[in-house]
């Protein structure tokens, strides 16, 4: 999962709008949008639960009218023909919208709401404050040229079967008319960009052109009448020119910035980072506190890993004397163990076979109730989506509950022998199981099924990413604690390596964006000190330059869930049951862990 959608972000090719797309709300019935009720003080709107629901829906519908691309990304395809132009006037409207609704939701009397609605209200307020921050302080529209990309909605409209093909092609024809104006606005909006985001935007241009080509290809073999085909072709040609023009402009700008040394730094700096962290993570702790916790967690992991490596030394290294350096020692044991992996042609098959094993384990050990009516479908990632992650859950947006949820796994077919071997060693016998725990059961997939049981459109759209990632990371540890993997030192060592990745993500993100860590130091932290492959370390270095804060969500969510579990154990004493804790925790939907902690601490009055 990547960063959450911001009011100015356009979906990128291959980069999903994470929470929106990864959550579905089965059977959610939406009331029709209510127009003309925007007068009257907010307090009177929120007299009871009904009024709050109505207010939330009014806001969300207003948001879709302002951000049709976002609407399409979450499955509201009636907005497909409408394109917005990312100019100053649009940002002005976005800011007015956010401030207007912020004032209205600030006027809601939280005491009159149910617990579930109070957390919804918290999410709405946070989302609106984050929007104002993004537009007024973060101002990414001035420095990130890769925000401007028309491919996401085009790709979704072309490849989602929400309506007959000719109708979708007509929607595309309408959308495409504004592409030249879109890129003119992009140029006018940019101030001084970073080199890294400029390079990214240039590198993404061929992907945008490929989507445009695909539109034409699909149109040619469709039943669209000739005259309409001609119009579509003209608009695709004009769009191609606009994309090419934007790319050429950025290439020139990049050369100028490199020559002058005037580019903006990709590093966010402490002030912006702290605020963004507060909005995006919604932790009970500050960014600096979470960073300090990660440093301590890293030390504890390395100590445990050294102990396990001592245990495994002779069996993996024979008579070779142990190196004095613990990083060296651990690294050698991990390298040797990583040789155990599936054959490349069995990669998908093995993942498919493990899912029912994980389900059986959860049930046999009474860890969580699983819904047998919602089996997970493992499939090979559709070809047009490949190229990002190796495996991941793909769920329909909240407005497409009829669509299936898949566990997409990209087969290793396309890789060279060396790259396939490197991936297989990375996803070796043990790590592959941990990956399935994280992505599927009891990780992301199970959490999703639970979230759907307490449908909240607000939490599906503006839910907390640190809770979602934190749960998946927590699930890994919880499974091993229950004895999964036979408590073998091999499994624990590999788990520690995997967990060290989450911990290192937090250390890296804070160090780079706030403390000014340089590339060489970062690569050493990742590859030598966290036992990652060269390729993985390079990819992570690239990601930390292009994103901020999101990399901290895994560890911050995980560590807060661990703290919460301990607090519940203390509070309940002998009445504490792990299964109850899990089910209650998941019952609140995608709320921040800090909000869930507050709800759990209330006297038991049944579930919300
Ligand atoms: Zn091998
Ligand atoms: Zn995840």
């Amino acid at each position: 999962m990547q960063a959450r959608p911001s009011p100015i972000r356009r979906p990128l090719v291959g980069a999903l709008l994470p929470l929106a797309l990864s959550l579905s709300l089965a059977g959610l019935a939406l009331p029709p949008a209510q127009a003309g009720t925007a007068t009257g003080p907010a307090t009177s709107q929120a007299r009871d639960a009904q009024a709050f629901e109505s207010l939330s829906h009014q806001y969300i519908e207003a948001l879709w009218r302002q951000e049709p691309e976002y609407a399409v990304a979450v499955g509201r395809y009636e907005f497909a023909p409408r394109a917005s132009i990312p100019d100053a006037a649009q940002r002005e409207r976005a800011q007015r919208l956010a401030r207007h609704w912020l004032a209205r939701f600030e006027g809601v009397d939280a005491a009159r709401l149910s617990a579930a609605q109070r957390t919804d209200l918290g999410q709405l307020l946070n989302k609106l404050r984050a929007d104002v921050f993004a537009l007024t302080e973060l101002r990414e529209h001035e420095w990130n040229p890769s925000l401007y990309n028309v491919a996401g909605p085009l790709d979704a409209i072309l490849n989602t079967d929400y309506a007959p093909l000719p109708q979708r092609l007509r929607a595309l024809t309408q959308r495409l008319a504004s592409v030249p104006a879109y890129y003119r606005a992009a140029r006018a909006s940019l101030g001084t960009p970073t080199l890294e985001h400029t390079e990214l935007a240039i590198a993404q241009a061929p992907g945008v052109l490929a989507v445009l080509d695909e539109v034409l290809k699909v149109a040619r073999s469709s039943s669209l009448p000739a005259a309409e085909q001609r119009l579509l072709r003209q608009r695709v040609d004009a769009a191609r020119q606009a994309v090419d023009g934007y790319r050429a402009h950025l290439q020139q700008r990049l050369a100028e910035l490199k020559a002058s040394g005037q580019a903006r730094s990709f590093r966010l700096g402490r002030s912006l980072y702290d605020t963004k962290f507060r909005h995006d993570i919604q932790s009970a702790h500050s960014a600096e506190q979470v960073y300090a916790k990660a440093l301590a967690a890293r030390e504890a992991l390395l100590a445990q890993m050294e102990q396990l490596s001592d245990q495994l030394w002779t069996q993996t290294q024979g008579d070779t004397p142990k190196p004095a350096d613990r990083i060296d020692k651990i690294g050698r044991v991990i390298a040797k163990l990583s040789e155990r992996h599936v054959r490349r042609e069995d990669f998908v098959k093995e993942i498919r076979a493990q899912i029912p094993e994980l389900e059986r384990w959860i049930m046999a050990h009474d860890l969580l109730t699983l819904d047998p009516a919602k089996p997970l479908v493992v499939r090979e990632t559709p070809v047009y989506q490949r190229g990002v992650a190796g495996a991941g859950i793909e769920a329909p947006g909240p407005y497409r509950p009829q669509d299936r949820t898949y566990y997409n796994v990209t087969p290793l077919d396309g890789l060279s022998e060396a790259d396939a071997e490197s991936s297989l060693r990375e996803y070796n016998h043990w790590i592959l199981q941990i990956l399935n725990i994280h992505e599927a059961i009891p990780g992301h997939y199970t959490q999703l099924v639970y979230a759907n049981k307490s449908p909240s459109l607000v939490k599906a759209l503006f839910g907390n990413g640190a809770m979602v990632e934190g749960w998946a990371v927590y699930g890994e540890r919880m499974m091993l604690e229950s004895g999964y993997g036979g408590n073998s030192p091999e499994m624990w060592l590999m788990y520690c390596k995997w967990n060290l990745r989450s911990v290192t993500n937090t250390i890296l993100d804070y160090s780079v964006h706030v403390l000014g860590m340089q590339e060489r130091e970062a690569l050493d932290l990742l590859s030598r000190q966290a036992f990652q492959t060269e390729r993985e370390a390079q990819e992570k270095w690239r990601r930390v330059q292009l994103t901020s804060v999101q990399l901290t969500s895994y560890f911050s969510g995980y560590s807060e869930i661990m703290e919460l579990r301990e607090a519940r154990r203390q509070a309940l004493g002998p009445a504490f049951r792990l299964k109850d804790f899990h089910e209650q925790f998941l019952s609140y939907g995608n709320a921040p862990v800090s909000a869930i902690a507050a709800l759990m601490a209330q006297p038991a009055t049944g579930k919300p």
Side-chain angles (χ1 to χ4, degrees), residues 86-163:
D87 57 11
Q90 194 229 18
R91 287 188 292 275
E92 190 54 47
R93 283 193 299 276
Q95 205 188 130
R96 268 206 308 275
L97 181 94
R99 290 192 193 278
H100 169 79
W101 285 97
L102 188 55
R104 293 188 73 178
F105 284 113
E106 278 172 345
V108 170
D109 182 1
R112 306 177 76 124
L113 301 177
S114 70
Q117 285 182 323
R118 270 203 305 281
T119 53
D120 277 5
L121 177 62
Q123 288 308 104
L124 284 164
L125 290 170
N126 184 71
K127 145 82 179 153
L128 290 161
R129 287 174 188 140
D131 283 358
V132 172
F133 164 72
L135 287 159
T136 59
E137 289 177 60
L138 191 61
R139 303 182 72 78
E140 205 170 341
H141 56 270
E142 290 177 350
W143 51 264
N144 181 357
S146 75
L147 284 181
Y148 306 105
N149 186 325
V150 295
L154 298 180
D155 182 35
I157 295 163
L158 188 68
N159 290 301
T160 308
D161 195 18
Y162 70 88

Side-chain angles (χ1 to χ4, degrees), residues 3-18:
R4 293 165 57 195
S6 80
I8 46 168
R9 176 165 296 141
R10 298 287 167 273
L12 308 180
V13 195
L16 302 179
L17 290 173

Side-chain angles (χ1 to χ4, degrees), residues 339 341 421 425:
E339 291 170 10
H341 58 71
E421 176 64 16
R425 290 171 62 101

Side-chain angles (χ1 to χ4, degrees), residues 354 357-358 361 433 437 479-487 491:
Q354 280 179 18
E357 294 291 327
L358 293 171
W361 182 273
Q433 298 175 62
I437 290 170
M479 285 291 275
L480 262 69
E481 285 174 345
S482 77
Y484 182 84
N487 264 318
M491 183 56 108

